[in-house]
Amino acid sequence: MINRKVTTIIEYSGAGLTKGEALVSGAGGTRFRMNGLGGSAMTATANGTNASGFAASNLLGGYGGFTKIDIMSADAVGEVQVVKGVIPAQYGGLSGNVSFITKAGTNDWHGSLFHRYEGSALSARQPFLTSKPHCVWNQFGGSLGGPILRDKFFFFLAYEGYRQRSSTTLSNDVPTPLFRETLLRALPFPETAIVLKYYTLPNQPYGPTDLLGRWVGPGLSNQNDDHVDTKLDYLLGGGNLSVTFTG
């Protein structure tokens, strides 16, 4: 599963959903199109509650597209239901609803463990950098379910987290030596030199009369995320009382 996202399950499930584009480049989360309408026309629920990643728009991923865990951990998904067409009144939105149900515990103990690694040793150098910076991405977690009281009370717990330590390409226009000398002559104050110390020299080709040059280099990109899904089931009077938490 690519990146272990539950949205990958939907994308390849054959449910007829089309993955939509972000509202703005780099500013949208994961969303799907139903019945020909835009991605914001659908809704997503987890165990019957709203699970949109951003309150102002119905996205399955966090606003900014920065999250690696959408809605719930893939190991916690017990059921995915897609409702579209003429939808019942219980669902919000215009085009349809994607419903996720957490796994439940049983009389038998069951669980899982996983670890996913990506690093600079397995990745290619970014084309705009002259060297390959250090990059490590660990995604890990697991699940456990079983009985608290046999035939009566059950639990399920899933945890997923990731730690990403990587780099991104940064570029900016900075003063050339000519511009620095011009500024120091025009503004012969200590503050001028202090401000110029915060600017690096260009490391890309520039002309002898250029005032600005381009600097390109690596910048830090650190991301952390932790996600927990829990569910308690108690058989009561021929029915099932469930308490769930996802966050």
Side-chain angles (χ1 to χ4, degrees):
M1 181 186 302
I2 302 174
N3 291 337
R4 296 188 55 84
K5 285 189 175 183
V6 295
T7 50
T8 307
I9 300 176
I10 305 174
E11 188 174 0
Y12 296 103
S13 65
L17 278 67
T18 304
K19 194 169 185 178
E21 297 296 330
L23 291 171
V24 181
S25 178
T30 306
R31 58 189 202 159
F32 291 82
R33 299 181 183 276
M34 291 183 178
N35 298 331
L37 298 178
S40 59
M42 61 164 288
T43 58
T45 58
N47 300 306
T49 60
N50 186 281
S52 296
F54 180 50
S57 182
N58 294 314
L59 305 175
L60 301 189
Y63 183 72
F66 57 86
T67 55
K68 298 294 187 297
I69 306 169
D70 293 336
I71 301 180
M72 66 175 61
S73 171
D75 283 22
V77 178
E79 179 183 343
V80 178
Q81 182 184 37
V82 178
V83 180
K84 59 182 182 177
V86 181
I87 60 176
Q90 70 187 76
Y91 301 105
L94 299 174
S95 62
N97 175 267
V98 180
S99 174
F100 295 87
I101 303 298
T102 308
K103 287 181 180 178
T106 64
N107 280 328
D108 297 322
W109 291 93
H110 59 278
S112 63
L113 288 173
F114 70 88
H115 180 263
R116 179 175 179 266
Y117 167 82
E118 286 186 16
S120 53
L122 305 177
S123 303
R125 174 181 59 84
Q126 296 188 30
F128 294 104
L129 298 179
T130 57
S131 61
K132 185 190 297 186
H134 179 67
C135 175
V136 175
W137 179 14
N138 290 292
Q139 191 171 7
F140 50 89
S143 64
L144 180 65
I148 299 177
L149 293 175
R150 193 168 184 83
D151 297 324
K152 193 70 174 179
F153 195 14
F154 310 96
F155 82 96
F156 178 82
L157 170 67
Y159 165 78
E160 182 170 350
Y162 71 83
R163 304 291 183 267
Q164 185 174 2
R165 301 294 180 266
S166 61
S167 63
T168 184
T169 303
L170 300 178
S171 64
N172 199 6
D173 292 328
V174 294
T176 62
L178 175 63
F179 194 17
R180 291 169 182 267
E181 294 175 2
T182 303
L183 287 174
L184 290 172
R185 288 196 303 266
L187 300 170
F189 307 111
E191 292 79 6
T192 306
I194 293 174
V195 172
L196 288 175
K197 287 181 180 179
Y198 288 95
Y199 290 91
T200 62
L201 291 172
N203 59 6
Q204 303 299 310
Y206 59 90
T209 59
D210 290 345
L211 298 180
L212 296 176
R214 176 70 65 173
W215 178 88
V216 178
L220 294 178
S221 177
N222 298 336
Q223 299 185 56
N224 299 321
D225 200 2
D226 295 282
H227 193 90
V228 176
D229 301 289
T230 60
K231 186 175 184 180
L232 298 175
D233 292 281
Y234 188 77
L235 301 182
L236 181 64
N240 183 26
L241 176 63
S242 295
V243 177
T244 60
F245 172 81
T246 298

